[in-house]
Amino acid sequence: MNNASPTYDVDLYSDEVHLNPFPHFKKLRDIGAAVWLPRHEAWAIPRYKEVKECLRNADVFISGQGIALNDRFNTIMRGNAVTSDGELHTKLRKIMGKPMLPGALSAITERVQTTADALSEQLVARRSFDGVTDLAHHLPMSLVTEFVGLSDEGCDHMLEWAAAAFDSIGPMNDRAHAAQDRISEMAAYIDHCVATRAVRPGSWGDDIFQAVDSGEISPEKAGHLLMDYIIPSLDSTINVTSTLILHFARSPEQYELVRNDPSLIRNAINEAVRIDSPLRQFSRLVVRDVEVDGITLKANSRALVMFSSANHDERKFQDPERFDVRRNVGDHLGFGHGVHQCAGMHLAQLEIGCLLKALIPKIQRFELVGEPRYSVNNVLRGLSSLPVTVH
């Protein structure tokens, strides 16, 4: 950083910012396209155009040295699909992402829809329920853990391990320190799975071990790929589902648009990802000097690529705080962009789409019957409770 660089001296990982991040994101965007964060010794990249350029420019803004703002977790994570570059990333992504490609997902679509139909019948009969724990959790927790092929221990702890991992992707603050016991538990479980192949035969996890047997990857890489399934495969779906229900309750006219035209379901999902992106930001290591809108980011500095802020950039989205199911939103950055775009986004869209197809014919209106509560996590943005009644 030089003395002329714009700065923002706020802890972006404080509870206050986590619970209401968007005013801070706007201040960052107003300050500049690259803003120095002295509390985190990193550059914030808060605007849409520059975030997209960073994600495209994966040879300069690399993931292979980790995506966290602390060295400890960057060392633990190094070598999995999310934190690798080049040929290694391509190889790992191909193995891990294969069962989540649209063609492969067609084989499980009927199963997902049947499960969603049964859940909708139960919840509509109850009328009042929690949109997070009763609705949003159900499909990912019951189906994805089965598809991955985890043992009961893995299924029981997957959510808390994922939350701990995302806490560890921020700076090594109190929240990250508190997560380390869970990280150790997850690492021990993965080591056990690799040593004993404790996954269900024919599952996605089993496919990883088939790649070991064929010589495509080493046993160590099998553990990294299992970690790729355990950490990110639930939270995006859960958080986007509950965000949708919250906005349908707050904006019943938007829900009515989707009820009258189910072809808007996919766009409504994308708008929910845009307006309350489940992942706020990841860091990247800058490997050579690069200019961002006239500001030089020096080699070996850290850049915080801010997906959520970019999705609220007024330069890209008109009236970005408004939830609009008819918005042209296919190019949001809530699932990332480029070579590291979320491998599970098609699975998330399938699960949420099946839920909406099941719920829409049965529910005329969602009503909030209590205050929504957000969880506090260094990276995740999502509700912990959403009490609703359906009519």
Side-chain angles (χ1 to χ4, degrees), residues 30-52:
D30 289 344
I31 292 170
V35 182
W36 181 249
L37 303 171
R39 304 283 185 104
H40 307 302
E41 297 186 336
W43 291 97
I45 311 296
R47 295 179 183 172
Y48 180 93
K49 175 176 176 288
E50 288 75 18
V51 167
K52 195 168 187 177

Side-chain angles (χ1 to χ4, degrees), residues 302-317:
R302 280 271 165 191
L304 202 58
V305 185
M306 305 184 69
F307 315 115
S308 185
S309 176
N311 281 335
H312 281 252
D313 191 349
E314 304 84 350
R315 296 156 191 81
K316 171 65 178 178
F317 300 106

Side-chain angles (χ1 to χ4, degrees), residues 188-266:
Y189 173 76
I190 290 172
D191 287 346
H192 170 74
C193 286
V194 172
T196 64
R197 300 202 171 190
V199 294
R200 184 173 55 81
S203 65
W204 299 351
D206 189 48
D207 289 345
I208 292 173
F209 293 116
Q210 300 304 317
V212 173
D213 291 341
S214 69
E216 287 183 81
I217 57 172
S218 66
E220 179 191 23
K221 287 291 180 281
H224 288 146
L225 289 179
L226 279 176
M227 190 181 294
D228 282 326
Y229 277 139
I230 289 173
I231 293 175
S233 61
L234 302 180
D235 292 283
S236 291
T237 305
I238 290 168
N239 293 345
V240 174
T241 301
S242 52
T243 292
L244 260 177
I245 302 306
L246 173 63
H247 283 283
F248 283 157
R250 286 178 169 170
S251 305
E253 76 286 354
Q254 295 295 315
Y255 179 60
E256 190 66 18
L257 288 172
V258 179
R259 283 193 74 218
N260 292 332
D261 183 4
S263 70
L264 289 172
I265 285 176
R266 186 178 184 85

